[in-house]
Amino acid sequence: MTDTASDLQLWPGEAYPLGATFDGTGTNFALYTESAEKVELCLFDDDDTETRVELKEVDAYVWHGYLPTVQPGQRYGYRVHGPYEPERGLRHNPAKLLLDPYAKATTGTIDWGQPLHSYNFGDPLSFNEEDSAPHMIKGVVINPFFDWTGDRHPNTPLSESIIYEAHVKGLTQTHPDVPESLRGTYAGLAHPAIIAHLKKIGVTAIELMPVHQFVHDAVLVEKGLRNYWGYNTLGFFAPHAEYAGTGERGQQVQEFKAMVKALHDADIEVILDVVYNHTAEGNHMGPTLSWRGIDNQAYYRLVEGDEQHYMDYTGTGNSLNVSRPHSLQMIMDSLRYWVTEMHVDGFRFDLAATLAREFYEVDKLSTFFELVQQDPVVSQVKLIAEPWDIGPGGYQVGNFPPVWAEWNGKYRDEVRDFWRGEPTALGEFATRLAGSADLYEQSGRRPVASINFVTAHDGFTLRDLVSYNEKHNDANGEDGNDGESHNRSYNYGAEGPTDDPEILQVRARQQRNFLATLLLSQGVPMLLHGDELGRTQRGNNNTYAQDSELSWIDWSSIDQPLIEFTAAVAQLRREHPAFRRKRFFTGSDVRTGDGERLNDIVWLRPDATPMAGDDWQTMEAEKTLGMYLNGNGIPGRGQRGERIVDSHFLIYCNASEEERELTMPPAEYAEAWDVLIDTGATQEREDPLRAGEAATLAPRSFALLRQHAQPVEADFSVAASIAANRASSAPDPDDASATES
């Protein structure tokens, strides 16, 4: 049903801010469209009666009006009249209800089918007049007020950060201590049981996979699947409604804010994985849901000379047009909103190279990066790029501007190859351990520019990385053709679940090797949720459509010793600045503390002689590397101007299948060394290793030693580490013969 607005009082209102803004009395509505001829605001009653209000005030292409009677909870959308000429890039169709690009909340779901499309199936240039409103998600006017009393941004320096990539639902859906009504929600993520786990393993920032309102693709819905990951945005200002614990309209905003406040109270920052490179409307055959019907030319990159079609640098059908001012304004307004109103602490930009394509090539000096650099709000939070897209020249690791950090894909690849024993350049592996100066130093950046990771949502979990040689994606319904085929993984003798104790033991050791390497490398470590407790996806490396037990953490079957190991190594990182330097190594000599002078870092052969010249090539077959960290060689000052001094450390990595005989370095390095971590040890070593003393490094093992002190400091539980090493991998959940850990 449709009514006119004869009984509604409409005031002129304001052109700014865009969107629906409740001021405590009424609501101002403002929508940008340059190509429209008429704009109707559509209000929906509880019985779905639609009332249309024509917005007649237009300033600088912003159509606006103020309704003094409209309160929070009101559902609304727009109908935009104008030319429909797809071949010229104009796609106005007033039969299609359009979601406000600035909607702060949404309600309802999308009912896929012909009515959502502006053309008739089979004829992409035709015009379809079916009303889409009954099948369309709607915007909701929200109450913006929230009691933020006592909230503050933790502002944890990147050098002290441990980032935890997580999914709101996947992290909480099966946790036994989270009430069933809260599982899979923002409130569930803020539950004390979840926060306690994050604190235990040293997490300082949780990086949430997309929580902007997204939709489930039609092709997935037809297969009985869902867009679990959420990289299909329909609302850049609205928290995803399905993650709210209540169905009350607009309540997802309040729940999200309460979650942020609870995490901040625990000194945990909130970073959002954001998708500003494309939208859920797809290519020229996609539905008309929002931007396409509002101003297609302004919001999307169209093929020059063939404006019916879209430029696609993302593999999703379209790319936002970051060369147009109003598209850029929408992105910047969204970023500022999430910082100022929702109190988030940073962003990870999906396929960020697309945002740098002002014209055709990737340009790190593009307008988008200039706006971010100059913005007094956005430039002050954590900015992390996924530095690639699928377009020409899209792999841009190391090339983003100075205020940005980057997912370091080269770190992932080199570390995986080294630990699985593949032929790899020792120098490359060493460079990644030391913070990837080759990628970041020349542009004036520091080790914190490198977000180090071994696994992420896209690919194998850590446990699957050491359990499968091949991907097993049959559940996705794409005949196994989806997902990366070159995973740099190794199953160590059996594909997937096994009860072979030797295979389980090496898999357990390799998980610890990866975790220790990640947490003790220079740069910023990022853990994938569940890697610390042995989560498996049964070999599926592309669970984008698997909103099921396959993707959720199974809290009933966890590897508790692995959790303890992760927590202990994270504690080591937190307490020792030697592992979180703010500047790159220089190779210059500094005092060791005993009057001797050694470089700030020394790469060692197993016989304790420094690596030099051809050693980097001749030692590659040994697959073994030693690393000395000089505790007196840490540049910079503490918060109060004090000099930063730490213990000296030794790291040994043996990726070979053979034992390696080690010789402890001479006394100029240190008189003796305490073993803190040895992933190949089966019993605890109580006595320190003396300078020049022989030792054995087990196959495929990682060892960390600290300069001996009397008494040995009690800041790290060696016993917990060794006990974790003795334990084999948690039983495979698919293995009927396994017992619960």
Side-chain angles (χ1 to χ4, degrees), residues 347-368:
F347 305 95
R348 178 266 188 188
F349 292 78
D350 177 66
L351 301 181
T354 299
L355 299 174
R357 293 184 185 274
E358 189 163 298
F359 298 103
Y360 179 74
E361 297 180 346
V362 176
D363 179 6
K364 68 179 181 180
L365 300 178
S366 69
T367 304
F368 171 71

Side-chain angles (χ1 to χ4, degrees), residues 256-401:
F256 185 92
K257 291 178 177 179
M259 175 197 72
V260 171
K261 188 175 182 181
L263 289 165
H264 281 180
D265 191 52
D267 285 325
I268 297 174
E269 294 182 308
V270 178
I271 298 171
L272 302 187
D273 190 341
V274 290
V275 190
Y276 294 112
N277 52 73
H278 73 280
T279 78
E281 290 187 298
N283 63 16
H284 65 290
M285 303 293 286
T288 297
L289 307 175
S290 181
W291 305 272
R292 174 171 284 144
I294 293 171
D295 197 325
N296 189 56
Q297 294 174 319
Y299 283 114
Y300 291 117
R301 292 182 63 104
L302 307 179
V303 177
E304 187 175 354
D306 182 18
E307 283 78 14
Q308 177 190 348
H309 296 101
Y310 296 80
M311 296 296 293
D312 181 12
Y313 297 119
T314 65
T316 61
N318 64 56
S319 302
L320 277 176
N321 191 350
V322 292
S323 67
R324 293 291 294 267
H326 285 89
S327 184
L328 279 170
Q329 179 188 350
M330 179 186 69
I331 295 173
M332 296 305 298
D333 285 349
S334 171
L335 292 170
R336 277 191 297 271
Y337 174 79
W338 286 95
V339 176
T340 60
E341 296 297 321
M342 309 296 268
H343 286 210
V344 305
D345 305 280
F347 305 95
R348 178 266 188 188
F349 292 78
D350 177 66
L351 301 181
T354 299
L355 299 174
R357 293 184 185 274
E358 189 163 298
F359 298 103
Y360 179 74
E361 297 180 346
V362 176
D363 179 6
K364 68 179 181 180
L365 300 178
S366 69
T367 304
F368 171 71
F369 292 118
E370 291 177 355
L371 290 174
V372 169
Q373 181 77 36
Q374 297 170 14
D375 192 281
V377 174
V378 179
S379 66
Q380 298 306 301
V381 301
K382 290 179 171 64
L383 302 171
I384 302 170
E386 181 186 34
W388 50 77
D389 66 12
I390 68 169
Y395 194 74
Q396 292 290 319
V397 173
N399 292 330
F400 275 68

Side-chain angles (χ1 to χ4, degrees), residues 35 92 94 98-99 133-134 150 153 162 184 202 229 339 354 368 421 434 452 544-545 564 616 645:
S35 54
H92 295 296
L98 306 173
L99 183 69
H153 293 278
I162 296 178
W229 284 354
V339 176
T354 299
F368 171 71
N452 299 330
Y544 76 102
E564 300 300 330
W616 289 103
V645 179

Side-chain angles (χ1 to χ4, degrees), residues 143-197:
N143 180 351
F145 306 108
F146 181 80
D147 184 6
W148 284 109
T149 302
D151 184 64
R152 47 103 185 108
H153 293 278
N155 289 323
T156 306
L158 265 176
S159 60
E160 299 176 13
S161 297
I162 296 178
I163 298 174
Y164 190 76
E165 189 194 24
H167 188 284
V168 171
K169 187 172 185 179
L171 179 60
T172 63
Q173 184 65 22
T174 73
H175 200 292
D177 295 332
V178 175
E180 191 169 346
S181 62
L182 300 183
R183 294 176 187 173
T185 70
Y186 303 120
L189 197 147
H191 190 274
I194 299 296
I195 291 177
H197 176 74

Side-chain angles (χ1 to χ4, degrees), residues 494-574:
E495 186 72 354
T498 181
D499 57 2
D500 186 314
E502 291 186 5
I503 295 176
L504 291 175
Q505 185 180 59
V506 71
R507 288 178 179 177
R509 187 182 302 172
Q510 287 289 65
Q511 288 176 79
R512 287 161 175 76
N513 292 339
F514 279 120
L515 288 168
T517 303
L518 176 65
L519 289 168
L520 300 180
S521 293
Q522 304 299 324
V524 183
M526 184 187 78
L527 291 165
L528 171 63
H529 79 191
D531 276 357
E532 77 283 3
L533 49 79
R535 181 172 75 96
T536 178
Q537 293 175 167
R538 301 187 182 95
N540 191 316
N541 73 350
N542 189 33
T543 58
Y544 76 102
Q546 298 300 323
D547 188 0
S548 66
E549 291 85 354
L550 186 65
S551 294
W552 307 333
I553 288 180
D554 180 3
W555 288 96
S556 68
S557 179
I558 62 175
D559 186 344
Q560 189 64 38
L562 189 60
I563 294 176
E564 300 300 330
F565 179 84
T566 305
V569 182
Q571 180 182 337
L572 256 178
R573 179 182 180 86
R574 181 171 61 251

Side-chain angles (χ1 to χ4, degrees), residues 46-67:
D46 290 341
D47 61 0
D48 280 337
T49 297
E50 176 183 348
T51 300
R52 300 182 185 180
V53 181
E54 183 178 351
L55 300 181
K56 296 185 178 182
E57 298 290 334
V58 187
D59 292 297
Y61 302 113
V62 176
W63 305 64
H64 56 90
Y66 181 90
L67 293 172

